[in-house]
Amino acid sequence: MAVVVAAVEEDGGGPAEEAVTVREFDGTSDRDRAAVDRLERACEVGPSAGKLCLFTDLLGDPLCRVRHSPAFLMLVAEAGAGAGGAAGGGEVVGVVRGCVKTVACGRGRGQDHLFSKVAYLLGLRVSPAHRRRGIGRALVARMEEWFRQAGADYAYVATDRGNEPSVRLFTSRCGYAKFRTPSVLVHPVFRHDLAPPRRVAVIRVPPRDAELLYRARFAGVEFFPRDIDAVLSNPLSLGTFLAVPAASSSAALCTWRGAEAFLASPPPSWAVGSVWNSKDAFRLEVRGAPRLWRAAARATRAADRALSRWLPLLRVPSVPNLFEPFGMHFLYGLGGAGPDAPRMATALCRHAHNVARRAGARVVATEVAACDPLRDAVPHWPRLGAEDLWCIKRLADGYGDGALGDWTKAPPGASIFVDPREF
């Protein structure tokens, strides 16, 4: 279905010279795929204050960031298309993706886990030459129509807090409310492995046991997906890992006895996390870095390479080449319990680094809530990360308050679950 809208200047001017057609992306069309690829390459991602920005290579699959979700849709905006809105009639100047799933939205008055059908809006891009004409709003409005048809109660979107035009679009023009402020924490992958903290064992957990563990301990965390089994069994999910205190004599004594046995008698402290292979879905490229920073990055790699040859124990933290397309691993579902859980989480992060190094990924990223008790335990380089703003909108007409009330007004929980399928 295509919808023809008149593009309007955002500053209140008159209508633009051409109509804009919003229609569904045609995944079978070579023209559509090529047009979206050109648009993605022309658009930077990140803050709008001249800082470092990211460019995305979708590896020929414009749907890669949503195709693993239960229900998804991708829309494109064409400028100069025919009045009938036929595909191929004009230049693709905008794109947006959306998906719908059921997630946890907190706890009710009886402390039962509550779930809602929510929509996630992501990947909004508008060609630099066609911005400030209302194209972004038209894409969002059309996507919200599909969200409502799919039965979503809420829609949310994540944007960089420093990207003022994007924040203004959603909060001022599209009716979204500022909701949560999680942090994207990024760590470069060095040329050498990272040693785990002393007396910590990292155990690989089978997918079925990982599902039981997550449902038992994290089903009340905001945005926890009800179909966590589909996430864990996806080919891009490289495994779930559990960090526990190692036996003083041998870490081999820390063997996995199954989820039921672990939940019945957990150790005093532990942490869990899963690794997602974003490298095989898309690639990123950093642009806008000063020449001095590029030179420093090359110097760290050279020092690491030279010194590791002669002094293997002297390992230099090195910055991988991020100035050409590179792959990333994403650490998701990070959580734990006990007084020593932060140290266990650090062990998981180092293990994820080593997994990424062997796979050829150049960074490991995770996203945690602002008040997550494990946030400070995640090794990261602040210059590589970002501060996100999640905005939410209530979609359902006459939606009753129910046991939760209005989720858009709910106070934040300690943690948040970031679905790797849409990161």
Side-chain angles (χ1 to χ4, degrees):
M1 177 181 178
V3 178
V4 181
V5 298
V8 179
E9 296 291 346
E10 292 286 359
D11 60 4
E17 294 180 356
E18 55 191 359
V20 173
T21 300
V22 175
R23 62 170 175 82
E24 186 172 348
F25 167 76
D26 183 359
T28 65
S29 166
D30 291 339
R31 179 189 179 277
D32 265 17
R33 291 197 301 271
V36 171
D37 182 67
R38 287 193 298 271
L39 179 62
E40 289 282 350
R41 293 178 184 276
C43 296
E44 62 186 43
V45 181
S48 57
K51 301 179 181 179
L52 298 179
C53 55
L54 289 174
F55 286 76
T56 308
D57 179 359
L58 301 177
L59 303 179
D61 182 12
L63 291 168
C64 64
R65 293 184 62 199
V66 292
R67 70 163 58 257
H68 299 285
S69 297
F72 60 88
L73 178 69
M74 180 171 170
L75 301 174
V76 297
E78 279 187 324
E91 176 189 2
V92 173
V93 297
V95 63
V96 71
R97 302 162 181 86
C99 57
V100 176
K101 57 190 176 181
T102 301
V103 304
C105 53
R107 296 179 184 271
R109 297 184 182 94
Q111 297 302 302
D112 293 329
H113 299 153
L114 300 176
F115 287 84
S116 284
K117 200 169 187 179
V118 303
Y120 182 44
L121 192 150
L122 72 161
L124 177 63
R125 309 278 190 267
V126 176
S127 168
H130 290 79
R131 291 173 183 170
R132 300 184 63 81
R133 300 185 184 181
I135 295 174
R137 275 192 293 171
L139 285 164
V140 171
R142 178 64 188 88
M143 184 62 76
E144 288 177 352
E145 290 180 19
W146 180 73
F147 288 163
R148 291 186 175 92
Q149 292 169 5
D153 295 320
Y154 298 94
Y156 73 104
V157 62
T159 186
D160 192 301
R161 270 187 270 179
N163 191 334
E164 295 179 5
S166 179
V167 173
R168 187 166 56 248
L169 169 67
F170 288 106
T171 58
S172 299
R173 300 191 177 105
C174 295
Y176 285 71
K178 296 179 181 180
F179 189 57
R180 301 290 183 259
T181 55
S183 300
V184 179
L185 307 179
V186 181
H187 194 282
V189 175
F190 303 146
R191 297 183 67 255
H192 55 267
D193 277 354
L194 297 181
R198 295 183 60 188
R199 297 187 177 180
V200 177
V202 176
I203 306 167
R204 188 185 182 99
V205 180
R208 176 56 180 163
D209 283 339
E211 178 192 349
L212 294 175
L213 177 58
Y214 275 124
R215 290 194 189 280
R217 291 300 183 97
F218 299 100
V221 173
E222 284 187 320
F223 296 98
F224 176 81
R226 177 171 276 175
D227 65 335
I228 185 63
D229 54 321
V231 180
L232 296 169
S233 62
N234 190 289
L236 292 178
S237 192
L238 300 181
T240 298
F241 304 93
L242 186 73
V244 296
S248 58
S249 58
S250 172
L253 295 178
C254 299
T255 56
W256 181 247
R257 297 177 293 117
E260 293 86 352
F262 177 84
L263 291 169
S265 182
S269 298
W270 56 274
V272 65
S274 303
V275 178
W276 186 269
N277 181 18
S278 302
K279 179 175 71 69
D280 286 353
F282 59 86
R283 302 291 173 93
L284 300 170
E285 181 181 352
V286 174
R287 296 185 185 177
R291 291 183 179 179
L292 181 61
W293 199 47
R294 291 171 179 260
R298 287 194 297 269
T300 63
R301 294 196 298 274
D304 191 9
R305 183 168 53 251
L307 292 175
S308 62
R309 181 180 304 171
W310 305 107
L311 299 169
L313 297 180
L314 184 60
R315 296 171 172 179
V316 178
S318 54
V319 181
N321 185 3
L322 306 180
F323 313 112
E324 62 183 27
F326 65 89
M328 175 189 75
H329 279 183
F330 184 66
L331 180 62
Y332 70 97
L334 183 64
D340 211 18
R343 195 165 69 95
M344 304 295 155
T346 299
L348 287 177
C349 293
R350 293 182 181 180
H351 181 77
H353 169 280
N354 299 341
V355 171
R357 190 185 73 82
R358 292 176 179 81
R362 296 185 194 167
V363 300
V364 176
T366 190
E367 188 163 13
V368 298
C371 52
D372 194 302
L374 300 183
R375 185 188 188 284
D376 292 339
V378 177
H380 65 282
W381 289 21
R383 186 72 181 270
L384 298 178
E387 298 300 318
D388 266 1
L389 173 65
W390 286 21
C391 303
I392 195 168
K393 183 176 182 177
R394 190 161 157 172
L395 294 177
D397 295 330
Y399 181 83
D401 285 344
L404 171 71
D406 186 350
W407 191 20
T408 66
K409 298 179 175 61
S415 301
I416 202 166
F417 195 102
V418 180
D419 196 323
R421 295 173 293 187
E422 296 100 40
F423 182 79

